Amino acid sequence: MSEFLSKDYGSLVPYEPGEQPKIENLIKLNTNESPFPPSPRAIEEGEKELSRSRLYPDPENTRLREAIAEVVGNGIEKEEIFVGNGSDEVLFLAFNAFKDKGIAFPDITYGFYPVYARIAGATFREIPLKEDFTVDFEALKAQKGTVVIANPNAPTGIFAPLSEIRDLVESDPNRIVVVDEAYVDFGGESAAKFIKEYKNLLVTGTFSKSRSLAGARLGFGIANEALIRDLNLLKYSVNPYNVNRVTAAMGYGALRDEAYTKRNCAEIERNRERLAKEILPFGYSSLPSRANFLFVKHEKLSGESVYRALREKSILVRYFDKERLRPFVRITIGNEEQTNALIDAMKRVAEGI
Ligand code: PMP
């Protein structure tokens, strides 16, 4: 830290991104990326845009927002869509925009939430998950400030029924509920269908997982026009060109190839269910996941030792050094070949105890 850094940030503990190793032939199942390449249509649209990079992108992203609105359906219009540099940026802006009454989120969830709350200077409260790792909706309903939940949650993968989300949103129209749906396309259901009904609901989504565009950085928010205007106020005060030309075009192309996305998601879901079942005889169990990852523990090994043993076998997963999470590893679901190799390696790890 230099002596010049603002004292506001001296004690900031940043989010720790999963490792992006340079090692070859490693099976990388640690950051919930897609094992499939972007759709050929996304690549084609992106390439067309490269030579236009001399020009700033459309700050309004009209074509992309129209395409997102169409795919989201439920009568959503482009005025109800915001796009950002990854859903991380959408969440960052939301934490800043809606912080006045404090922000609450589960204690076990996406690690960025407390970081965003701190950098926004917001007071925040972490609400413990229940014993079975589900979200405590009753406790969230008692909160006066903004509530943020990931659905499916991370790193558990557990999906909360939409009826719970709806009750939470409805229980206090003066409290904003942000539903982070980064992983909704792998068997979850979107709360976007409630947007027309409630003025206090913001749903965020990403192109990083189901649409294989983690490296392009594209995310979106869905909410009524007034909330979208709030996010735009902040965006136009920081970076009007937050989504670059090539990324916007790739996102548009991906949305024109929904069949490709659906096929990939179906394969991920198949591999996830197979993984959950086939590791049971070796002493592993997992939480019920509707995401592109599985939260797994072994009856005799800590999460860290499973992580280390798999790494020795050239498979990279993630563990979390945090209360209640230490028994687990979070494993991103890969393609069929990767899943076969993973099951084999997990069997060998268990046999080697
Ligand atoms: N929300 C959750 C729960 C996540 O796990 C992630 C991915 N790390 C994000 C949001 C952000 O994804 P992105 O910025 O790539 O859209």
Side-chain angles (χ1 to χ4, degrees), residues 15 32 85-89 91 110 113 150 154 180 182-183 205-209 217-219:
Y15 174 72
N32 299 342
N85 191 307
S87 54
D88 278 340
E89 186 188 43
L91 290 163
Y110 187 30
Y113 299 161
D180 171 352
Y183 300 105
T206 184
F207 284 68
S208 297
K209 319 290 178 186
R217 312 302 301 122
L218 183 60

Side-chain angles (χ1 to χ4, degrees), residues 274-346:
R274 184 160 78 85
L275 175 65
K277 199 165 107 213
E278 294 191 9
I279 57 178
L280 286 173
F282 317 134
Y284 297 96
S285 58
S286 57
L287 299 184
S289 170
R290 300 253 202 114
N292 68 340
F293 55 83
L294 201 60
F295 209 42
V296 179
K297 68 175 176 182
H298 188 271
E299 59 196 9
K300 297 212 180 87
L301 298 168
S302 70
E304 185 175 354
S305 37
V306 173
Y307 158 84
R308 289 195 191 289
L310 286 176
R311 202 186 158 105
E312 265 175 36
K313 296 178 171 35
S314 296
I315 297 179
L316 191 57
V317 298
R318 193 152 187 202
Y319 76 97
F320 299 86
D321 187 15
K322 184 175 171 173
E323 197 60 36
R324 290 179 77 192
L325 303 188
R326 289 191 189 95
F328 292 90
V329 282
R330 190 196 68 190
I331 307 177
T332 303
I333 306 301
N335 62 23
E336 196 175 345
E337 194 189 337
Q338 292 170 323
T339 307
N340 292 338
L342 172 70
I343 293 170
D344 179 58
M346 289 177 79

